[in-house]
């Protein structure tokens, strides 16, 4: 489908994953169309279950497996300003470590029989942390903004927002982290609506 008027208002919200992405004319696997190139910027227009309707810069639109799109974070409010402490990974690492330690202490008390499940629930209520470490790379969940941040030991950048356009308000863990040469993931994708995940 084409939508020339849409090209004037194009605002990329996602990019196609590095493997590329099959596309369909309608949310129907029997109506395939041209495949999308890797890293192509697209605008997610609507969601319909696992399907996502996307718009390209040239006004062409199609339906894809919306689960596989990689969110493009919005620029920070202070874009163009000097780096701030939000780009320093140490405070977020410290908060994650404190949250993990609070959970660990509560779990030890519960396992030792010194507390019950009700007290465990009260001690852990509101705790939220997310840390993935892979060599020098780290992904940290910033609970105050609901963003996943990617760091290399010296600075953090927003990797993914927890809520994309038309998506339910739940965080999407970073399924396609930045890769170094020679570390390509193996991914098996199934068309939306086919029952696979």
């Amino acid at each position: 489908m084409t939508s020339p008027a849409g090209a004037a208002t194009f605002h990329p919200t996602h990019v196609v994953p590095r493997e590329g992405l099959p596309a369909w004319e309608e949310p129907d696997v029997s109506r395939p169309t041209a495949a999308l190139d890797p890293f192509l910027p697209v605008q997610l227009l609507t969601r319909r279950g696992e399907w996502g309707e996307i718009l390209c810069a040239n006004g062409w639109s199609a339906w894809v497996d919306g689960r596989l799109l990689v969110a493009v974070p919005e620029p920070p409010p202070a874009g163009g300003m000097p780096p701030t402490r939000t780009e320093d990974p140490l405070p977020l690492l410290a908060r994650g470590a404190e949250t993990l330690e609070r959970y660990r202490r509560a779990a030890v008390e519960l396992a030792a029989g010194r507390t019950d499940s009700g007290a465990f629930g009260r001690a852990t209520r509101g705790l939220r942390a997310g840390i993935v470490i892979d060599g020098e790379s780290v992904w940290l969940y910033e609970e105050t903004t609901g963003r996943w941040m990617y760091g290399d030991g010296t600075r953090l950048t927003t990797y993914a927002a927890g809520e994309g356009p038309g998506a339910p308000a739940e965080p999407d863990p970073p399924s396609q982290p930045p890769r170094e040469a020679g570390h390509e993931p193996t991914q098996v994708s199934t068309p939306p609506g086919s029952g696979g995940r």
Side-chain angles (χ1 to χ4, degrees):
M1 302 184 279
T2 58
S3 173
T9 58
F10 177 74
H11 176 72
T13 58
H14 293 73
V15 295
V16 173
R18 68 172 62 238
E19 298 82 10
L21 206 56
W24 292 266
E25 291 181 9
E26 298 290 337
D28 177 353
V29 294
S30 68
R31 302 192 61 187
T33 185
L36 301 176
D37 293 332
F39 304 115
L40 177 73
V42 298
Q43 181 178 351
L44 182 63
L45 300 175
T46 58
R47 295 288 291 261
R48 189 182 299 175
E50 297 169 349
W51 290 97
E53 183 183 16
I54 56 96
L55 176 69
C56 298
N58 64 1
W60 184 76
S61 64
W63 290 83
V64 299
D65 186 340
R67 300 168 299 173
L68 302 179
L69 293 172
V70 180
V72 174
E74 290 294 323
M81 301 291 286
T84 64
R85 291 291 291 175
T86 58
E87 292 187 344
D88 181 355
L90 298 182
L92 193 50
L93 282 167
R95 285 204 306 275
E98 290 165 10
T99 301
L100 182 60
E101 178 58 20
R102 286 179 58 191
Y103 188 93
R104 188 197 67 79
R105 284 195 309 261
V108 166
E109 293 294 307
L110 181 64
R114 292 189 290 267
T115 188
D116 60 17
S117 59
F120 177 74
R122 288 188 296 276
T124 58
R125 185 173 294 126
L127 294 183
R128 180 170 289 188
I131 302 174
V132 177
I133 298 173
D134 183 12
E136 65 187 25
S137 300
V138 64
W139 291 265
L140 301 169
Y141 182 69
E142 188 179 50
E143 72 284 357
T144 56
T145 61
R147 297 179 300 166
W148 279 94
M149 310 291 286
Y150 170 75
D152 60 5
T154 59
R155 62 188 297 267
L156 287 175
T157 56
T158 299
Y159 177 74
E163 182 178 353
E170 61 183 48
D172 295 327
S175 59
Q176 307 229 3
R179 300 283 178 172
E180 298 175 18
H183 293 279
E184 295 298 320
T186 301
Q187 178 173 339
V188 177
S189 61
T190 54
S194 66
R197 270 205 172 268

